[in-house]
Amino acid sequence: MPLRNTAERWGTPSIALHWVTALAVLGLLVVGFTMDSLPNTPFKRDVYLLHKSLGLTVGGLTVLRLLWRWLQPTPALPDGTSRVQRLAATTGHAGLYALLLAMPASGLLYNWASNFATPWFGITVMARAGQVDRELKAISGEVHEIAGLALAALLLAHAGAAFWHHYRLRDRVLWRMAPWIRPPA
């Protein structure tokens, strides 16, 4: 597997950042949609702290991914890919990146507007606001929730497209990002 991206496949850093981000986001979405219903215990506080830390990590990983993608070539889509499919791929990836930045940003704003310090694995990265900002808290909370639903939907579409390429079109699009999967014959 090459270190750098080529016109034919993704390099090791791109693959590693993709899958680490994917696993973190799946965990964050599951926890994010369920943690509010937890009883008010120290465990719930710890879940929230971990959610915040992982969310900030995903934001940082996304910035790294965008920088790496800007510096590296992007593997070409297979020959014969229609203009509509190319537009869907480009739009889908742009939407994923936008949401992967909007989620931590809105979570950070929500936390700050709620007058909580923002931790990252025990390190305070943003102090308390000093008071609750109800309007900003409501807006950022709504953005965070809607962006979470949009991200979940777009991730399903993204995975569905990858499987469609692999099992229906039988091309190497999925294999390029998941080299442990056998390429289609």
Side-chain angles (χ1 to χ4, degrees):
M1 198 166 10
L3 179 66
R4 295 179 165 276
N5 297 347
T6 67
E8 292 81 37
R9 60 185 306 183
W10 297 100
T12 304
S14 295
I15 293 170
L17 287 168
H18 175 274
W19 289 108
V20 168
T21 301
L23 291 173
V25 167
L26 289 175
L28 284 164
L29 286 171
V30 169
V31 169
F33 288 124
T34 60
M35 67 186 185
D36 194 39
S37 62
L38 292 172
N40 286 329
T41 64
F43 175 72
K44 182 176 184 172
R45 182 203 63 223
D46 292 344
V47 168
Y48 269 82
L49 291 172
L50 182 61
H51 182 80
K52 293 170 188 181
S53 294
L54 285 177
L56 291 173
T57 301
V58 165
L61 288 173
T62 302
V63 170
L64 279 175
R65 289 180 71 186
L66 287 168
L67 287 171
W68 184 252
R69 190 169 174 145
W70 181 62
L71 295 170
Q72 294 292 301
T74 300
L77 289 170
D79 292 338
T81 303
S82 73
R83 187 180 298 185
V84 171
Q85 290 170 334
R86 288 178 190 281
L87 179 62
T90 301
T91 305
H93 283 103
L96 285 170
Y97 283 121
L99 290 167
L100 289 172
L101 293 172
M103 289 295 295
S106 60
L108 187 72
L109 277 175
Y110 179 82
N111 195 64
W112 185 77
S114 300
N115 197 31
F116 290 115
T118 303
W120 183 71
F121 297 109
I123 301 166
T124 299
V125 295
M126 184 181 278
R128 295 174 185 261
Q131 64 184 14
V132 174
D133 183 333
R134 295 189 193 288
E135 186 177 348
L136 181 58
K137 180 180 173 184
I139 292 167
S140 57
E142 189 75 15
V143 167
H144 197 67
E145 189 173 326
I146 291 169
L149 293 169
L151 182 58
L154 201 49
L155 286 174
L156 285 172
H158 181 70
F163 289 127
W164 182 68
H165 272 277
H166 192 72
Y167 293 107
R168 179 78 173 139
L169 298 180
R170 305 192 58 76
D171 60 29
R172 292 178 169 233
V173 167
L174 177 61
W175 172 79
R176 296 184 313 187
M177 189 53 80
W180 55 87
I181 294 174
R182 297 178 87 182

